[in-house]
Amino acid sequence: MSSLTEPSRSSRSFRAALRAEWTKFRTVRGWMIGLVFAALMVVLFTFLQANGKHTGYCTTPNPSSCVNGHQYVPSGPDGEAVADTYELVAKQLTGDGTITARITSLVGRIWAGPANEAPSLADTESGLTSWAKAGLLITPSTRQGSSYAAVMTTGGHGVRFQYDYTNDQAGLPGSISGTAPRWLRLTRTGNVITGYDSSDGTHWHTVGSAQLAHLPTTVYIGLFATSPTTSQGSATTATASFDDIAIGPQADRAAQATSGPWHSMSIGTGPRDFYTTLRNSGYRQTSDSILVTGSGDIAPAVAEVGGDTASDSLLFGLVIALIVLIVIGTMFITSEYRRGLIRTTFAATPDRGRVLAAKAVVIGGVAFAVGAVASAVAIPLGEHVMSGNGNYIFPADSLTVARVIVGSGALVALTAVAVLGLGTILRRSAGAILAGVVVFVLPTFTGPGIIGPTSAGSAATWLYRVTPAAGFSMLGLLPRSGLVSYQYTMGNGYYPLPPWAGLLVLATYTTVALSAARVVLRRRDA
Amino acid sequence: MSEASIEVSGLRKRFGQTLALDGLSFTVPPGTVTGFVGPNGAGKSTTMRVILGLDSVEEGTALIGGRPYAALTHPMRHVGSLLDASALQPSRSGRNHLLWIARSQRLPVSRVDEVTELVGLGKAARRKAGGYSLGMRQRLGIAAAMLGDPPVLIMDEPFNGMDPEGIIWMRGFLRGLAAEGRAVLISSHLLNELPDVADHVVVIGRGRVLADATIQELTTGASSLEDVYLRLTTGAVEYRSGADGEPRR
């Protein structure tokens, strides 16, 4: 016989086994009801969890100033949540032009009072956070979340060229002092903004450049300072001293200030703005220098906002669905062992690996459908309810939401297939279900949203790295950024592994369980 | 080698210390009903499981039409089997039980209705199998065995739980299968069930063939089939009340 006919016959046989297993599955009404029940539980618990979350805030210590709803979180040019709170001292520039300045000092103060009090200058100590920023900035608008490009010195990351919140390029390293000042320059040529730095005012290096879309003819150009909260959450302030300032229409250092007086603006420091600041922003002009003091950040917003994500209320319901699918996935094989039906199955399909594969595809497929469909319904529902209760929901693009939906399905599917393997090995429903719950559900109960986030310890973190609970990383939607010092910990709602890496950990457990089941099946008499 | 045959040779299998099959060999030719008889624990069920590729052996071969079971594509089109009529998912209907088996053998749904009629299951086929009497389960099991219209049939204790009417039906049914040229192997621990149905009897004990002959050959010169059976199986039985048999294992 031609060897070419072999694979097709084998794939036909697999399809036959698959159809047989699907027929078996769908003809046990209890299992089909279980699937619907699991999906409903996801939606129900998502609703209940979302409904229990309310947000309000107070603009003064007086309770009468408290309102429902969340504080304002700006959206950046790509719709992402951003912090846009800073002090700007600027002029208007029409057409191409440039600004140059020397920064001779960058110092700061850090709130040292108790975490539960509103920060004020009264109780601060001297210090500069690493992402304190001061430098030159071009923006078409002082509306929060506007497009911008800036070249800056920082507290601990040297000179940077940054634009539109998420883009960052490094320039000269080192911190600022009187003996080690930095010259900065920002030029506009059409839509292209270029940042330069220099340590002597003579030799210049390009730090980076950016093409800003839809840049109008007239833009703000000037000096800025801002200083983000520390990774412990304390508000800070930074003061920079600028001199040797040149600003003008030509992209040439000799150009002199021609475009009117300086405008000082505190951006994003109102009582409705979310960013925690030390309220002493402002500027002071002397004969040859300008001191700018700012508090806040121009960067992506992370969980410091105190917002929720679309998947936040999904977790508990998904765990319930997981338990239901663990029971069904186990019974899909153990009920055959219990009745001796497994012998009919193997008489029908002597290739036991093929039987196991067909069962895995069937239970994995239905479990995926349950997880994915349920979360596709539950996510918008939870989002809607949470928004209605005044919560801020981090914006998530459709691709990211699709990842959570696929992740919910994959999480349930991989677990169901793994317990199919456990059931095959153990042959008894009770033992296999117990083992399935202990291995695949119990670790999850120590995570955020169920027992946590108070259980933020390293134990929980490790559980989410090495146990099947890692699969829940697929639900992570909180933004993180290397441009923001923040504790990206489980306590703050961050999974320790990236989404797909977490799923891979779970998939490894599934693969091991299924492979072991395959070996056992081959060796054992039916 | 005819499609319709079972050929077992030199089967040897241990369960721990116990030798379950001890060089077992016999043949089921086409067009006959072969009775497979022996005391409990003689190895009848084990042999049947070995033929169906469910249990492994240390030595020997079991061939269906010259091929091992595992080598058969859609094996239930070659061998129909009924090992345990109660091997059912109780919440699945009899018809759906037949349906999944039909799917696994790439048989059309019409076969399900045909075999349901054949065994006289009728409307009960749409009820949950958990509520079936043992007799109904036997009929469902036979329907499953007949799905693939196989040239070879293997049934473990097919008369179990059947009422007299059912037993008469079953005898006629099995004889009919043999008359169509099929090879039929049925096990029983009650020899007196067999004369009306089996042409040929294989008597085993302790995993060995004690006799392999036609009913006529066996009963020649003996007062009854029972006597023959008792004489053959003496010493090969685990425990026989009143006899000075050997101690239990």
Side-chain angles (χ1 to χ4, degrees), chain A residues 9 12-13 15-17 19-21 23-31 331-332 335-336 339-350 352 523-526, chain B residues 13 15 49 52-57 69-76 81 83-84 86-93 96-97 99-101 103-106 128 144:
Chain A
R9 193 168 73 185
R12 273 218 317 276
S13 304
R15 277 213 307 279
R19 290 193 73 187
E21 290 303 330
T23 305
K24 273 185 200 171
F25 188 89
R26 70 173 177 79
T27 53
V28 174
R29 195 183 295 162
W31 296 344
M331 300 286 284
F332 193 35
S335 71
E336 293 201 18
R339 312 279 172 189
L341 188 58
I342 195 76
R343 294 202 180 105
T344 313
T345 299
F346 290 150
T349 310
R352 298 177 190 182
R523 292 196 174 163
R524 203 158 58 188
D525 284 343
Chain B
K13 181 177 180 64
F15 289 121
R49 288 201 299 269
L52 296 172
L54 297 171
D55 281 13
S56 60
V57 281
Y69 193 87
L72 304 171
T73 315
H74 306 316
M76 287 181 171
S81 57
L83 292 188
D84 175 6
S86 294
L88 297 165
Q89 169 74 37
S91 55
R92 190 179 287 135
S93 73
N96 283 330
H97 176 71
L99 186 62
W100 79 254
I101 297 174
R103 296 286 190 222
S104 74
Q105 307 302 306
R106 300 175 67 85
K128 287 184 176 181

Side-chain angles (χ1 to χ4, degrees), chain A residues 61-143:
Chain A
N62 183 348
S64 67
S65 76
C66 297
V67 292
N68 282 324
H70 62 84
Q71 286 169 298
Y72 177 65
V73 182
S75 298
D78 298 323
E80 75 278 24
V82 297
D84 198 13
T85 297
Y86 62 105
E87 188 70 11
L88 179 65
V89 181
K91 298 186 180 192
Q92 288 196 317
L93 173 77
T94 301
D96 293 350
T98 190
I99 181 169
T100 304
R102 182 174 72 160
I103 301 182
T104 53
S105 85
L106 179 62
V107 295
R109 300 201 68 79
I110 296 173
W111 165 245
N116 58 351
E117 275 183 25
S120 72
L121 269 185
D123 192 359
T124 58
E125 55 194 30
S126 134
L128 192 61
T129 60
S130 62
W131 278 115
K133 303 173 173 81
L136 313 175
L137 182 138
I138 286 179
T139 179
S141 162
T142 56
R143 186 182 53 78

